[in-house]
Amino acid sequence: MHVLAVVAHPDDAEIFCGGTLAKHAARGDDVTIAYMTRGEFGGFDTTEAELAATREEEARNAAAVLGADVTFLDFQDGRIVYTLENRLKLVDCIREHAPDIILTHFADDMHPDHRETSRLVTDAYYMVSLPLLEREHPPCDPTNVYYFGKPTSSFEPTVIVDVTDHEETKEQAALEHESQVAWLEEHGGIDAEFSDFVESMRATAHALGRQAGATYAEGFTRLHDTSVDYLE
């Protein structure tokens, strides 16, 4: 099985679906994280180029902890827009990796990059199997798209994944984003739900887990209500 997570920024994967990705990787599944941007707006007292390089290195280190491969799609942080050209870039990404399932952001989200990523991935998903759409890579047919959400959105998960045995790995991976630990803890207001980076992640996973009979869990909604053996 191949799982592809398409996220707007480095650290989004760890925060919202890191336990699920680690669980799939530990089982022997192929896991890839595609970063739309390098998160070059998320910092203080530096340049975009310097921060982009730092965050790419952190993303690679974090993905290694999770057991995932990485790819970068070279969109600009804070400036992801919906266009046909960008939708086709997502078609190319999905076809290149030919995943069985795709994970990405829930459409109703405060961050514009998250919203646009969700829309681009969803619409690209509908195009990746079209044989007459000729691109560099051949058509593929992922089974479904699973969406993860932020606590500040109207996200209500319908698929719960028990990540109890992988919560520690998720937290270790998140802490590889050293530049963001400081950024999210100091950037109150917009990101106030992350005033304590790892503790906030753990509390969210624990709260959802209690609802589902697990110590820690992550939640998703899916594009299609289909019969599947796992997202585990």
Side-chain angles (χ1 to χ4, degrees):
M1 182 177 186
H2 189 172
V3 180
L4 173 65
V6 184
V7 299
H9 315 98
D11 75 19
D12 284 339
E14 289 74 25
I15 291 171
F16 301 117
C17 61
T20 300
L21 298 181
K23 187 171 186 176
H24 274 279
R27 189 175 67 175
D29 293 338
D30 293 324
V31 176
T32 302
I33 305 171
Y35 299 99
M36 296 285 283
T37 78
R38 289 171 171 79
E40 61 270 18
F41 270 0
F44 304 104
D45 301 324
T46 185
T47 67
E48 287 187 45
E50 290 171 346
L51 186 56
T54 296
R55 297 205 65 188
E56 177 175 339
E57 181 179 5
E58 291 172 348
R60 292 185 184 279
N61 292 340
V65 173
L66 296 177
D69 295 323
V70 301
T71 187
F72 292 86
L73 303 185
D74 298 326
F75 288 83
Q76 292 183 302
D77 188 14
R79 291 153 285 184
I80 298 175
V81 295
Y82 188 96
T83 65
L84 176 59
E85 178 183 3
N86 287 343
R87 191 200 314 167
L88 291 174
K89 287 182 181 179
L90 269 298
V91 169
D92 291 338
C93 174
I94 295 170
R95 283 187 172 184
E96 178 182 1
H97 297 285
D100 295 284
I101 59 173
I102 303 167
L103 279 56
T104 196
H105 298 274
F106 186 63
D108 181 11
D109 192 288
M110 181 170 58
H111 199 305
D113 283 349
H114 294 186
R115 295 196 301 269
E116 296 306 317
T117 296
S118 181
R119 187 180 173 198
L120 286 165
V121 171
T122 300
D123 290 356
Y125 167 79
Y126 278 107
M127 298 182 72
V128 295
S129 64
L130 299 178
L132 295 183
L133 178 60
E134 296 184 1
R135 305 292 292 177
E136 180 180 356
H137 302 284
C140 64
D141 192 16
T143 302
N144 217 332
V145 180
Y146 289 82
Y147 302 99
F148 48 78
K150 295 185 70 173
T152 50
S153 77
S154 61
F155 176 69
E156 295 183 5
T158 56
V159 178
I160 308 298
V161 180
D162 183 347
V163 299
T164 302
D165 292 341
H166 303 278
E167 178 66 21
E168 183 177 352
T169 301
K170 171 184 177 175
E171 294 176 10
Q172 290 174 348
L175 288 172
E176 291 292 336
H177 297 279
E178 294 182 13
S179 67
Q180 295 309 288
V181 173
W183 166 252
L184 291 174
E185 291 183 354
E186 294 180 31
H187 193 50
I190 292 177
D191 288 310
E193 69 269 28
F194 298 120
S195 59
D196 186 328
F197 185 46
V198 170
E199 182 56 36
S200 294
M201 289 196 321
R202 186 183 303 132
T204 298
H206 183 55
L208 185 58
R210 290 183 65 183
Q211 298 175 31
T215 304
Y216 298 106
E218 293 175 341
F220 304 85
T221 63
R222 54 189 169 198
L223 181 60
H224 301 299
D225 286 328
T226 59
S227 176
V228 298
D229 293 328
Y230 42 77
L231 182 69
E232 294 180 346

